[in-house]
Amino acid sequence: MDANQSSYTLTLPMQKYMQLAVANIADDHVVSLVNDNQCISSMLRQEDAPMTSNTLPSHTTGIFTARQAMEVLEGVDQTFNVKLYMANSATTLVLDPKGLSYTDIKVYATGFATSFLINDSTYVYPENSPLIKAEKVETDNDLLCFTTVNFPSRDATSAEAPSHRADAVTSLWQFKVYITKPDGKVTETVLDINEPLKAGDLRIIKGDLDDDAAVRPYNSTVGVSVTLDWNSGGNYEWEM
């Protein structure tokens, strides 16, 4: 199946059909196709995060889906063209360390859907969104680059976007950055992003690190909350 195009011959009764398609799912270790015996229940579902950490790795493939109503008629030569669209998306955080000394950096993104109903083309959002662990990408300079692949965030019109503290401005999704300094203290920075991450999007957030190991984003619309000497309280998969 390494060809650019493949053909299949199917014999079907003449009637109305709803055709669903999913591509590039077999090698994804985080997302599975489930309930696919009927189109109305067929969905892409992200695996559940462990209760001890609420953390998951990124999706391992770009996933594509399609849906097309088709009525097969008698004695008519018919052609149906079905376009596939990307169902997941990606985020990237680029940081300039500005010469800061540190022993460890961990980056997570959160606020995304956990499943996708293929027939309805709708996403399902949990009450407690899991943390998607960002992978570090090597660069040819001093910049630090971290990326995730996940389902989209809620849309900007949603009234149910999460907030990480009572007095915070509601955000659609977040980056959470944990930097361990040489003295062992950890600085937590939460970046609140109010622009939606849509299917097929790659959203890049850039910023500097200050002397306290806090992230200072270049985009003034990104909200920032910093906690110095942060303690995990056993909620994260933390490797000291």
Side-chain angles (χ1 to χ4, degrees), residues 56-59 89-93 107-110 112 131-135 137 146-151 173-175 197 201-203:
L56 286 174
S58 286
H59 300 179
S89 49
T91 74
T92 298
L93 180 65
V107 178
Y108 303 88
T110 188
F112 310 116
L131 299 169
I132 306 299
K133 185 177 181 180
E135 298 295 329
V137 178
F146 300 87
T147 186
T148 71
V149 179
N150 38 259
F151 284 130
W173 58 282
Q174 300 170 334
F175 274 119
L197 179 71
D201 279 359
L202 165 62
R203 185 56 54 87

Side-chain angles (χ1 to χ4, degrees), residues 48-211:
D48 294 332
M51 294 184 61
T52 55
S53 65
N54 198 33
T55 302
L56 286 174
S58 286
H59 300 179
T60 53
T61 65
I63 305 172
F64 297 82
T65 68
R67 61 219 53 85
Q68 175 70 53
M70 301 188 301
E71 183 175 3
V72 180
L73 304 175
E74 182 178 3
V76 179
D77 187 9
Q78 295 174 276
T79 299
F80 299 95
N81 294 316
V82 182
K83 293 183 178 180
L84 285 86
Y85 297 91
M86 199 167 189
N88 50 4
S89 49
T91 74
T92 298
L93 180 65
V94 179
L95 301 174
D96 186 341
K98 293 292 186 179
L100 178 75
S101 295
Y102 60 89
T103 60
D104 188 43
I105 297 181
K106 283 183 169 59
V107 178
Y108 303 88
T110 188
F112 310 116
T114 53
S115 58
F116 177 66
L117 300 171
I118 301 170
N119 184 64
D120 298 330
S121 188
T122 57
Y123 291 92
V124 178
Y125 297 89
E127 183 176 347
N128 184 23
S129 179
L131 299 169
I132 306 299
K133 185 177 181 180
E135 298 295 329
K136 186 177 181 182
V137 178
E138 295 302 325
T139 65
D140 58 2
N141 50 41
D142 293 335
L143 297 179
L144 304 173
C145 181
F146 300 87
T147 186
T148 71
V149 179
N150 38 259
F151 284 130
S153 73
R154 288 179 170 86
D155 191 72
T157 59
S158 172
E160 300 176 355
S163 175
H164 69 277
R165 64 187 194 279
D167 61 343
V169 176
T170 299
S171 61
L172 295 174
W173 58 282
Q174 300 170 334
F175 274 119
K176 295 188 176 185
V177 185
Y178 301 89
I179 300 180
T180 305
K181 296 182 288 186
D183 61 3
K185 294 182 179 180
V186 177
T187 297
E188 177 199 53
T189 304
V190 178
L191 301 177
D192 291 305
I193 296 93
N194 293 305
E195 295 183 8
L197 179 71
K198 298 185 177 181
D201 279 359
L202 165 62
R203 185 56 54 87
I204 301 174
I205 304 297
K206 298 180 179 180
D208 292 339
L209 298 182
D210 65 17
D211 293 340

